[in-house]
Amino acid sequence: RDCLLSRGLGDVYKRQPQNGVLGKNYQHIQMYISPRINQEYPLHFTVRGKSKVNHNICNFNGYIEITHIFSSTENYPYNYMIGKYEFKEDSSQKGSGIFKGICSFDVKVDTINKIINLDEDFAIADGYNNRNYVGIWESYSRGTIKKCIWGDY
């Protein structure tokens, strides 16, 4: 909790959407996320963005809150953060609802400068295992609940 985020969530998310699947029929979903650090609580991010399923686009607002940070081992030089998220789409838009679940991030901690680097350039495994979101989406109008997962690349 004494570390600041450098090259934080906002920088890496601006580059491209995250991709995933929604529901039993595996609809393609794209998430465009723009987080901001809460200055009072640095492990809480205010989030705004857009979701895109097929041709339907919805704006959303919400949060990401880091709940656990696991230290690295000798064989794995990165730390691992786990958190929870909740993104509420604009209820006036067609096909809107709420996303909620858990998320995970690989990070590199600079203990000397007390900075957490959330960088997509890390050589982690095959490069496809960072910033993952697993949870549900619930429709405002119908109450339908669908499983949803997305992440980098």
Side-chain angles (χ1 to χ4, degrees):
R1 291 186 186 248
D2 294 332
C3 292
L4 298 173
L5 285 171
S6 165
R7 281 237 30 223
L9 288 168
D11 294 334
V12 294
Y13 279 110
K14 289 177 187 172
R15 296 184 190 154
Q16 63 189 31
Q18 293 182 309
N19 291 287
V21 293
L22 174 69
K24 290 182 181 179
N25 59 352
Y26 303 104
Q27 290 178 288
H28 179 228
I29 184 169
Q30 290 183 305
M31 299 296 283
Y32 298 82
I33 301 172
S34 180
R36 299 284 179 253
I37 296 172
N38 179 329
Q39 296 301 320
E40 294 176 27
Y41 182 56
L43 296 179
H44 189 275
F45 303 87
T46 303
V47 173
R48 61 183 168 80
K50 294 182 182 202
S51 63
K52 181 180 179 187
V53 178
N54 297 323
H55 298 290
N56 190 54
I57 298 172
C58 289
N59 298 317
F60 63 78
N61 289 295
Y63 70 87
I64 298 169
E65 183 176 339
I66 304 305
T67 57
H68 298 85
I69 299 177
F70 298 95
S71 297
S72 61
T73 66
E74 254 181 60
N75 298 330
Y76 191 73
Y78 304 99
N79 292 350
Y80 190 67
M81 295 190 317
I82 295 178
K84 59 185 177 179
Y85 68 90
E86 184 173 284
F87 304 155
K88 294 180 178 181
E89 292 176 313
D90 181 343
S91 61
S92 68
Q93 293 177 311
K94 178 185 172 191
S96 61
I98 182 170
F99 294 94
K100 53 187 165 184
I102 60 172
C103 49
S104 65
F105 311 91
D106 286 318
V107 297
K108 194 169 189 178
V109 178
D110 176 347
T111 55
I112 295 169
N113 296 310
K114 295 187 177 184
I115 295 174
I116 297 173
N117 291 297
L118 197 68
D119 195 332
E120 68 183 11
D121 298 328
F122 293 155
I124 300 172
D126 59 6
Y128 297 105
N129 186 28
N130 195 11
R131 290 180 291 279
N132 297 300
Y133 294 79
V134 178
I136 62 158
W137 173 83
E138 183 175 358
S139 167
Y140 289 137
S141 63
R142 296 188 177 139
T144 306
I145 295 175
K146 296 180 179 183
K147 293 180 182 178
C148 188
I149 183 170
W150 73 86
D152 288 352
Y153 310 108

